[in-house]
Amino acid sequence: MRGPLFYINSMFWCGYRLSTVCSSSGLPAHAVKFEQRHTRLHQGKHFRRFYGSRQCSDNKKQQLDLLSDNRSFGGQQKVYEHDSVVLNCRMRFSVYIPENLERPAPILYYLSGMLCSEQSFIQKSGFQRWASHYRIIVVSPDICPRVTYGVEKSEIEAKGLSYYVNAIKKPWNKNYQMYSYVNEELPSIIQENFNIDKARQSIMGHSMGGHGALISALKNPGKFRSVSAFAPVCNPSQSPDERHLLNCYFGDDSKTIEEWDSTCLITKYKGPELNILIHQGKNDQYEIDLKLENFANACKKAGIAASINLEEGYDHGFYFISSFMEQHFHHHSKFLCDSF
């Protein structure tokens, strides 16, 4: 029987509203919506004009367009775009490759939160220093399909609220299959095109992406050697705002929604050790809807080990993420790397 290594620092709960401010930029949500859509259109043209190149795999449908390639801590920070079969649209992802890799490297997937993108992560989190140090390849997809349905007052389109699930209701089921993209299509592309050791992979994420990381690990026992999250959404079926969004994807079916809820999933988990690390700020303005306490209690009841830490004075944004990024890489290195 597993002996849980489980601890939680003292908790402080405060409320928030989902639709107010983008935590990573500080801009009002409507301003971020305009900035993302405007930049996305023209930035893609700029990249293709100045950085356009092709990287092909055996699968012609998975031809990669290299959009950018920048030196960072000795390694290369690349961004690619491709035609996703699963998402039925063009999709971006980033890959950081440490320098002088002489053998297949371990891989860490990072899933970003709402109103973010692969660009937010590679520019603001400071992860490259630690990826280079531990010699881990890091892959991060964009948070959602960048398609427009024109659904009136849709927060899903405005904020990229994919929640890393597979939608079954129209119109979202056509493109919003992010769970399959993250766990099937994207890993297949990475394995075909990069020098990775597919037996050594882990996953982490922030907020909505923390939710995606946790459900990916819980729904695929043994696939990931470790999982970590920064302020994850832990119990969306019990959070009114998150429940409303999941209803758009699944309808008002509690059993279906609970299959995409990490607090519900962990009560039934029977796989190998998960090696969970979670950090959340005590000043997190979104804390009530995150429901970390529910997840912590479920872990404890199920006898599943988890290291859960509440940090004094930190909120939900990238200052918080970058402050604890080293600890997360050190955590994953213990399960991914031979020499650490």
Side-chain angles (χ1 to χ4, degrees):
M1 181 175 179
R2 275 186 294 244
L5 169 64
F6 186 90
Y7 60 89
I8 308 175
N9 291 341
S10 58
M11 291 190 170
F12 174 75
W13 302 103
C14 59
Y16 87 103
R17 291 298 300 165
L18 182 65
S19 59
T20 53
V21 173
C22 170
S23 61
S24 60
S25 68
L27 295 174
H30 66 84
V32 176
K33 172 185 174 183
F34 173 79
E35 179 185 69
Q36 283 190 333
R37 290 192 174 182
H38 177 80
T39 303
R40 189 77 180 195
L41 176 65
H42 298 286
Q43 188 181 58
K45 292 179 180 178
H46 172 82
F47 278 150
R48 281 189 287 274
R49 183 177 177 185
F50 291 97
Y51 298 103
S53 67
R54 298 274 178 172
Q55 180 167 335
C56 300
S57 70
D58 293 335
N59 185 346
K60 292 182 180 179
K61 292 182 179 180
Q62 300 302 325
Q63 183 169 276
L64 306 182
D65 290 340
L66 178 62
L67 303 184
S68 65
D69 188 356
N70 295 285
R71 192 79 164 159
S72 180
F73 290 96
Q76 296 301 129
Q77 178 64 71
K78 301 172 182 282
V79 176
Y80 292 91
E81 188 174 83
H82 72 109
D83 292 313
S84 169
V85 177
V86 169
L87 303 179
N88 294 298
C89 67
R90 298 288 285 175
M91 190 65 178
R92 287 185 180 179
F93 64 88
S94 69
V95 182
Y96 179 77
I97 306 171
E99 65 178 339
N100 299 326
L101 292 179
E102 297 177 355
R103 61 174 180 161
I107 183 168
L108 177 61
Y109 291 93
Y110 179 92
L111 307 182
S112 296
M114 60 177 279
L115 289 171
C116 295
S117 69
E118 85 290 340
Q119 291 295 308
S120 306
F121 173 59
I122 66 178
Q123 293 176 11
K124 295 182 178 181
S125 70
F127 82 91
Q128 292 93 344
R129 175 191 295 273
W130 308 113
S132 175
H133 175 71
Y134 290 111
R135 304 179 68 75
I136 297 172
I137 289 177
V138 179
V139 173
S140 180
D142 197 358
I143 63 172
C144 72
R146 300 294 179 172
V147 296
T148 301
Y149 294 105
V151 179
E152 185 178 3
K153 298 180 181 178
S154 172
E155 283 193 310
I156 293 174
E157 289 184 322
K159 300 178 182 178
L161 297 175
S162 72
Y163 268 82
Y164 299 97
V165 301
N166 283 346
I168 61 176
K169 285 186 64 180
K170 295 181 178 179
W172 314 111
N173 61 335
K174 179 181 179 181
N175 304 101
Y176 278 68
Q177 304 293 313
M178 283 296 291
Y179 173 81
S180 290
Y181 179 75
V182 165
N183 287 282
E184 297 170 14
E185 186 176 22
L186 182 58
S188 177
I189 293 170
I190 299 302
Q191 290 166 22
E192 289 177 359
N193 290 279
F194 301 94
N195 188 27
I196 67 151
D197 181 351
K198 64 181 181 180
R200 294 188 293 159
Q201 57 183 340
S202 293
I203 192 166
M204 67 176 174
H206 169 229
S207 192
M208 179 183 78
H211 161 79
L214 288 171
I215 63 171
S216 293
L218 287 163
K219 291 169 82 71
N220 296 278
K223 179 177 181 178
F224 301 104
R225 291 194 175 189
S226 52
V227 57
S228 74
F230 302 91
V233 176
C234 290
N235 197 191
S237 66
Q238 299 302 311
S239 299
D241 288 335
E242 279 71 22
R243 178 66 182 246
H244 171 73
L245 291 166
L246 293 179
N247 285 349
C248 294
Y249 295 134
F250 304 117
D252 191 15
D253 181 348
S254 294
K255 289 186 177 179
T256 300
I257 290 173
E258 286 174 2
E259 289 301 313
W260 299 95
D261 184 312
S262 59
T263 297
C264 299
L265 288 171
I266 207 158
T267 62
K268 301 178 289 184
Y269 183 77
K270 301 298 182 183
E273 201 74 44
L274 289 162
N275 301 312
I276 301 171
L277 172 65
I278 295 175
H279 280 84
Q280 181 176 300
K282 283 190 176 182
N283 292 353
D284 194 312
Q285 62 270 40
Y286 302 150
E287 184 225 10
I288 283 181
D289 272 17
L290 300 179
K291 298 199 178 300
L292 178 59
E293 187 174 24
N294 291 3
F295 181 77
N297 289 336
C299 286
K300 189 173 182 179
K301 185 175 180 180
I304 291 177
S307 173
I308 298 177
N309 307 272
L310 293 184
E311 302 294 344
E312 192 72 49
Y314 288 93
D315 61 14
H316 197 74
F318 274 96
Y319 291 118
F320 158 65
I321 295 171
S322 60
S323 295
F324 297 98
M325 186 61 71
E326 179 185 6
Q327 291 188 33
H328 283 245
F329 266 86
H330 181 70
H331 169 74
H332 291 297
S333 73
K334 291 184 292 185
F335 307 101
L336 293 176
C337 305
D338 295 335
S339 58
F340 292 96

